[in-house]
Amino acid sequence: MGCYCSKEAKTPGYEDPKILAAATPFTVNEVEALYELFKKLSSSIFDDGLIHKEEFQLALFRNRNRSNLFADRIFDLFDIKRNGVIEFGEFVRSLGVFHPNAPVEDKISFAFRLYNLRQTGYIEREELKEMVLALLHESDLVLSDDVIEVIVDRTYSDADKKGDGRIDEEEWKEFVMKHPSMIKNMTLPYLKDISVAFPSFVMTSEVEDSEI
């Protein structure tokens, strides 16, 4: 028997849970649970079935006016179509990277794009510093300018193996494999069982997971 949500009008950019489950670490049931979460997030400020940046900020920080470079970059990467909003399919596919079972290569690639603020294909020193400052701000950690410079310098000198003043994707991958803590925030343990993390969103799937 199909769930009640199957008879409701779908949000813009809605994709079949079977397709999304096949393309991500999530099961069909989990994708449907994420759809319930998506509907809540996408109607928190603008009730249009799309997640706007203000709604994204509100979900992350409980404050839609709090600007943060880290949150802005995450939003930009979730917005695959680059149309200023996050559709359901984009939400699930992007969130899948943070699943504990997602390939580590996907996490490394996502993190590289996260730090590559100017989208040049390289992480430059200033970009690394900006992201370190944003992450410290988000963690409410206060470090002196000198300590921050030391952190950035050491990280950069270790990662920039070619010594050309920039970190390419291969150098980044090699660096992260040696220092896996660099992508620790790329894994959200609760995504491994959405039905436990969001018990109110559990529903009967239209398609049994064994069918895909």
Side-chain angles (χ1 to χ4, degrees):
M1 198 162 159
C3 65
Y4 178 71
C5 67
S6 65
K7 296 178 176 62
E8 295 178 352
K10 303 302 183 184
T11 59
Y14 177 82
E15 290 187 48
D16 189 318
K18 290 179 291 183
I19 295 174
L20 290 172
T24 68
F26 299 114
T27 65
V28 173
N29 277 335
E30 289 171 335
V31 172
E32 290 182 341
L34 285 173
Y35 185 58
E36 294 303 302
L37 174 62
F38 178 84
K39 286 193 294 183
K40 285 193 173 186
L41 296 180
S42 63
S43 62
S44 58
I45 299 176
F46 309 104
D47 193 6
D48 59 359
L50 300 164
I51 296 179
H52 295 252
K53 185 167 285 190
E54 297 91 335
E55 291 169 322
F56 198 70
Q57 295 273 11
L58 184 63
L60 288 180
F61 306 121
R62 305 297 178 197
N63 182 349
R64 66 178 180 179
N65 297 316
R66 180 175 175 179
S67 180
N68 179 278
L69 177 63
F70 180 68
D72 285 346
R73 285 299 295 146
I74 292 284
F75 181 89
D76 290 343
L77 293 178
F78 270 52
D79 178 18
I80 298 169
K81 295 181 180 177
R82 306 211 176 178
N83 56 358
V85 292
I86 300 172
E87 300 175 358
F88 176 60
E90 294 174 318
F91 180 70
V92 175
R93 291 174 190 277
S94 299
L95 205 55
V97 176
F98 291 82
H99 193 287
N101 294 341
V104 68
E105 290 81 7
D106 292 351
K107 296 177 184 292
I108 292 174
S109 177
F110 191 98
F112 180 82
R113 288 183 289 136
L114 186 67
Y115 281 79
N116 181 22
L117 302 176
R118 295 167 186 80
Q119 301 173 42
T120 59
Y122 301 92
I123 298 175
E124 299 171 2
R125 187 186 184 284
E126 195 56 35
E127 292 175 320
L128 181 63
K129 182 178 178 179
E130 286 180 46
M131 283 302 296
V132 168
L133 288 171
L135 289 169
L136 288 173
H137 176 70
E138 181 50 34
S139 303
D140 292 322
L141 290 175
V142 179
L143 299 178
S144 69
D145 290 343
D146 288 343
V147 172
I148 291 171
E149 289 295 335
V150 169
I151 292 172
V152 173
D153 282 342
R154 285 183 178 174
T155 301
Y156 216 81
S157 62
D158 194 3
D160 182 19
K161 294 296 185 183
K162 297 174 183 174
D164 56 2
R166 57 189 187 180
I167 302 169
D168 62 31
E169 196 157 359
E170 279 303 310
E171 289 173 319
W172 173 253
K173 182 177 180 179
E174 183 180 342
F175 175 70
V176 172
M177 293 302 282
K178 289 181 182 175
H179 306 280
S181 61
M182 289 294 296
I183 57 169
K184 186 178 179 181
N185 62 352
M186 292 299 303
T187 297
L188 302 176
Y190 66 80
L191 291 178
K192 199 162 186 177
D193 195 343
I194 297 296
S195 62
V196 172
F198 308 112
S200 62
F201 299 148
V202 175
M203 63 193 78
T204 303
S205 172
E206 292 181 70
V207 180
E208 292 301 322
D209 295 330
S210 60
E211 292 183 24
I212 64 170

